[in-house]
Amino acid sequence: VLNSCQNETSSTATQGASEDISSVDSVGFQVNVHLGGNTGGLNSILSTTAISGQILDLNVHAGLLEISPEDYSLRPYLAVSRPTVTINEDGTILMDFEIREAASWDNNTPITAEDVAFTLKAIKNPKVNCNHLRGWFEFVEAVDIDPNNPKKFRIRCNRSYLLAETAIGAMSVFPSYFY
């Protein structure tokens, strides 16, 4: 919900059509957004509220892919491109990803396939309180990391799943070094 807009030079918020904001210089322009709740923490794996996903997954954490708000298509974010998907005759799926060379954590260490594998292990671990997520990833069998390139990996899926690319791609990746 858009709450208000104001320019630094104006003392009141523009809450209507009285001022043509298309002519306002974007420098110093402020948009206030009202959110309907709190996240309850900064770890989206452990957060169970809808507002947590809206805030954390879209603004704090990053996934391999993102969902375009314009047409809801998947597009690369941390990944170089969408994965190469192979569907085997037995119904299993292989998804090959590569993480962008420039992708790094806030301490400048590179984001690698090890971080993706760690995130999936955390979600699938029954001792981690994330039952709300676990079902979305039960089809994941293993993560195979390329020994020659730590930014390349393959996700092996034990069965066909309509939302496999979306679930893996939109999953927030967590730094393995931190945990």
Side-chain angles (χ1 to χ4, degrees):
V1 174
L2 182 61
N3 188 358
S4 65
C5 298
Q6 73 182 37
N7 187 307
E8 275 186 358
T9 59
S10 87
S11 60
T12 60
T14 304
Q15 293 182 331
S18 62
E19 181 182 347
D20 179 11
I21 63 171
S22 64
S23 64
V24 176
D25 184 7
S26 64
V27 176
F29 191 74
Q30 173 182 331
V31 175
N32 297 317
V33 178
H34 173 72
L35 299 171
N38 292 320
T39 64
L42 292 177
N43 187 326
S44 63
I45 292 175
L46 302 176
S47 298
T48 58
T49 63
I51 196 74
S52 295
Q54 185 180 14
I55 295 169
L56 298 176
D57 291 340
L58 299 176
N59 299 297
V60 177
H61 303 294
L64 297 166
L65 306 173
E66 68 177 350
I67 300 172
S68 167
E70 290 87 26
D71 62 4
Y72 304 108
S73 63
L74 291 173
R75 61 186 183 194
Y77 194 72
L78 289 176
V80 172
S81 63
R82 288 179 63 181
T84 302
V85 178
T86 305
I87 302 173
N88 297 321
E89 288 183 23
D90 63 357
T92 59
I93 299 174
L94 303 174
M95 290 189 289
D96 294 318
F97 282 95
E98 182 175 1
I99 298 171
R100 293 178 192 270
E101 191 60 40
S104 64
W105 297 112
D106 59 340
N107 68 355
N108 291 323
T109 58
I111 298 173
T112 66
E114 189 59 46
D115 297 310
V116 175
F118 165 78
T119 303
L120 283 165
K121 286 176 190 175
I123 291 170
K124 293 175 72 71
N125 184 338
K127 294 182 179 183
V128 175
N129 187 18
C130 66
N131 290 333
H132 63 288
L133 286 180
R134 201 164 289 119
W136 289 95
F137 299 96
E138 64 184 15
F139 66 93
V140 175
E141 188 173 289
V143 178
D144 301 323
I145 300 171
D146 185 331
N148 300 316
N149 183 347
K151 290 193 171 261
K152 285 186 174 184
F153 60 97
R154 171 175 281 174
I155 305 272
R156 283 189 285 132
C157 307
N158 58 20
R159 60 182 165 84
S160 182
Y161 178 48
L162 178 66
L163 296 175
E165 183 182 2
T166 303
I168 296 295
M171 173 189 73
S172 295
V173 178
F174 281 80
S176 60
Y177 78 85
F178 188 79
Y179 297 94

